[in-house]
Short mmCIF file of all heavy atoms in Angstrom, two decimals:
data_model
loop_
_atom_site.label_atom_id
_atom_site.label_comp_id
_atom_site.label_asym_id
_atom_site.label_seq_id
_atom_site.Cartn_x
_atom_site.Cartn_y
_atom_site.Cartn_z
N VAL A 333 -124.18 -119.90 13.47
CA VAL A 333 -124.49 -120.58 14.73
C VAL A 333 -124.78 -119.57 15.82
O VAL A 333 -125.69 -119.75 16.63
CB VAL A 333 -123.31 -121.50 15.13
CG1 VAL A 333 -123.58 -122.14 16.49
CG2 VAL A 333 -123.09 -122.57 14.07
N GLU A 334 -124.01 -118.51 15.86
CA GLU A 334 -124.20 -117.50 16.90
C GLU A 334 -125.58 -116.86 16.81
O GLU A 334 -126.24 -116.60 17.82
CB GLU A 334 -123.11 -116.43 16.79
CG GLU A 334 -123.12 -115.43 17.93
CD GLU A 334 -121.94 -114.49 17.87
OE1 GLU A 334 -121.10 -114.64 16.95
OE2 GLU A 334 -121.85 -113.61 18.75
N PHE A 337 -128.24 -119.78 17.89
CA PHE A 337 -128.10 -120.58 19.10
C PHE A 337 -129.23 -120.34 20.10
O PHE A 337 -129.68 -121.29 20.76
CB PHE A 337 -126.75 -120.30 19.77
CG PHE A 337 -126.46 -121.23 20.90
CD1 PHE A 337 -126.03 -122.52 20.67
CD2 PHE A 337 -126.65 -120.83 22.22
CE1 PHE A 337 -125.79 -123.40 21.71
CE2 PHE A 337 -126.41 -121.70 23.27
CZ PHE A 337 -125.97 -122.99 23.01
N THR A 338 -129.69 -119.10 20.24
CA THR A 338 -130.76 -118.83 21.21
C THR A 338 -132.03 -119.59 20.85
O THR A 338 -132.65 -120.24 21.71
CB THR A 338 -131.05 -117.32 21.27
OG1 THR A 338 -129.86 -116.63 21.66
CG2 THR A 338 -132.15 -117.03 22.28
N PHE A 340 -132.19 -122.22 18.91
CA PHE A 340 -131.87 -123.65 19.03
C PHE A 340 -131.98 -124.11 20.48
O PHE A 340 -132.54 -125.18 20.77
CB PHE A 340 -130.46 -123.90 18.50
CG PHE A 340 -129.90 -125.24 18.87
CD1 PHE A 340 -130.30 -126.38 18.20
CD2 PHE A 340 -128.99 -125.37 19.92
CE1 PHE A 340 -129.80 -127.63 18.54
CE2 PHE A 340 -128.48 -126.60 20.27
CZ PHE A 340 -128.89 -127.74 19.58
N GLN A 341 -131.49 -123.31 21.39
CA GLN A 341 -131.51 -123.68 22.82
C GLN A 341 -132.94 -123.79 23.33
O GLN A 341 -133.30 -124.71 24.07
CB GLN A 341 -130.73 -122.65 23.62
CG GLN A 341 -130.33 -123.10 25.01
CD GLN A 341 -129.40 -122.10 25.67
OE1 GLN A 341 -129.44 -120.91 25.38
NE2 GLN A 341 -128.57 -122.57 26.56
N LEU A 358 -129.15 -129.95 15.17
CA LEU A 358 -127.81 -130.01 15.76
C LEU A 358 -126.74 -130.42 14.75
O LEU A 358 -125.65 -129.83 14.73
CB LEU A 358 -127.81 -130.95 16.96
CG LEU A 358 -126.48 -131.14 17.66
CD1 LEU A 358 -125.92 -129.82 18.19
CD2 LEU A 358 -126.59 -132.15 18.80
N LYS A 371 -114.06 -122.81 18.47
CA LYS A 371 -114.01 -123.57 19.72
C LYS A 371 -115.05 -123.09 20.72
O LYS A 371 -115.59 -123.89 21.50
CB LYS A 371 -112.61 -123.50 20.31
CG LYS A 371 -111.54 -124.14 19.46
CD LYS A 371 -110.19 -124.09 20.14
CE LYS A 371 -109.12 -124.75 19.27
NZ LYS A 371 -107.79 -124.72 19.92
N THR A 372 -115.35 -121.80 20.72
CA THR A 372 -116.34 -121.27 21.66
C THR A 372 -117.71 -121.86 21.40
O THR A 372 -118.40 -122.32 22.33
CB THR A 372 -116.39 -119.74 21.55
OG1 THR A 372 -115.09 -119.20 21.83
CG2 THR A 372 -117.39 -119.16 22.55
N GLN A 373 -118.13 -121.86 20.14
CA GLN A 373 -119.43 -122.44 19.80
C GLN A 373 -119.42 -123.95 19.97
O GLN A 373 -120.45 -124.54 20.32
CB GLN A 373 -119.80 -122.06 18.36
CG GLN A 373 -119.97 -120.58 18.11
CD GLN A 373 -121.09 -119.97 18.94
OE1 GLN A 373 -122.02 -120.67 19.37
NE2 GLN A 373 -120.99 -118.68 19.21
N ALA A 374 -118.28 -124.60 19.74
CA ALA A 374 -118.19 -126.05 19.93
C ALA A 374 -118.44 -126.41 21.39
O ALA A 374 -119.14 -127.38 21.69
CB ALA A 374 -116.83 -126.55 19.48
N LEU A 375 -117.88 -125.62 22.31
CA LEU A 375 -118.11 -125.88 23.74
C LEU A 375 -119.59 -125.71 24.10
O LEU A 375 -120.10 -126.42 24.96
CB LEU A 375 -117.26 -124.92 24.57
CG LEU A 375 -115.76 -125.24 24.63
CD1 LEU A 375 -114.99 -124.10 25.29
CD2 LEU A 375 -115.52 -126.55 25.39
N ARG A 376 -120.28 -124.82 23.43
CA ARG A 376 -121.72 -124.61 23.70
C ARG A 376 -122.55 -125.76 23.14
O ARG A 376 -123.62 -126.08 23.68
CB ARG A 376 -122.17 -123.29 23.10
CG ARG A 376 -121.43 -122.08 23.64
CD ARG A 376 -121.81 -120.81 22.92
NE ARG A 376 -123.14 -120.35 23.28
CZ ARG A 376 -123.74 -119.28 22.73
NH1 ARG A 376 -123.12 -118.60 21.78
NH2 ARG A 376 -124.95 -118.92 23.12
N LEU A 377 -122.07 -126.38 22.06
CA LEU A 377 -122.84 -127.46 21.44
C LEU A 377 -122.57 -128.82 22.07
O LEU A 377 -123.40 -129.74 21.95
CB LEU A 377 -122.53 -127.54 19.94
CG LEU A 377 -122.99 -126.38 19.06
CD1 LEU A 377 -122.62 -126.65 17.60
CD2 LEU A 377 -124.50 -126.18 19.18
N ILE A 378 -121.43 -128.99 22.72
CA ILE A 378 -121.05 -130.30 23.26
C ILE A 378 -122.10 -130.88 24.20
O ILE A 378 -122.44 -132.07 24.09
CB ILE A 378 -119.66 -130.23 23.92
CG1 ILE A 378 -118.58 -130.24 22.85
CG2 ILE A 378 -119.46 -131.38 24.89
CD1 ILE A 378 -117.18 -130.11 23.38
N PRO A 379 -122.68 -130.13 25.15
CA PRO A 379 -123.71 -130.75 26.02
C PRO A 379 -124.89 -131.31 25.25
O PRO A 379 -125.43 -132.36 25.60
CB PRO A 379 -124.13 -129.58 26.93
CG PRO A 379 -122.96 -128.65 26.93
CD PRO A 379 -122.39 -128.75 25.56
N PHE A 380 -125.30 -130.61 24.19
CA PHE A 380 -126.42 -131.11 23.39
C PHE A 380 -126.01 -132.34 22.58
O PHE A 380 -126.79 -133.28 22.42
CB PHE A 380 -126.92 -130.01 22.46
CG PHE A 380 -127.42 -128.79 23.17
CD1 PHE A 380 -126.62 -127.67 23.31
CD2 PHE A 380 -128.69 -128.78 23.74
CE1 PHE A 380 -127.08 -126.55 23.97
CE2 PHE A 380 -129.16 -127.66 24.41
CZ PHE A 380 -128.35 -126.54 24.53
N ALA A 381 -124.78 -132.33 22.06
CA ALA A 381 -124.29 -133.50 21.33
C ALA A 381 -124.17 -134.71 22.25
O ALA A 381 -124.42 -135.85 21.83
CB ALA A 381 -122.94 -133.18 20.69
N VAL A 404 -112.05 -128.95 20.54
CA VAL A 404 -111.76 -128.15 21.74
C VAL A 404 -110.57 -128.72 22.51
O VAL A 404 -110.25 -128.22 23.60
CB VAL A 404 -113.00 -128.06 22.65
CG1 VAL A 404 -114.15 -127.40 21.92
CG2 VAL A 404 -113.42 -129.44 23.15
#
Side-chain angles (χ1 to χ4, degrees):
V333 176
E334 187 173 359
F337 188 77
T338 300
F340 166 77
Q341 196 172 28
L358 178 60
K371 296 183 180 181
T372 301
Q373 297 299 336
L375 285 171
R376 301 174 73 183
L377 292 181
I378 282 177
F380 299 99
V404 300

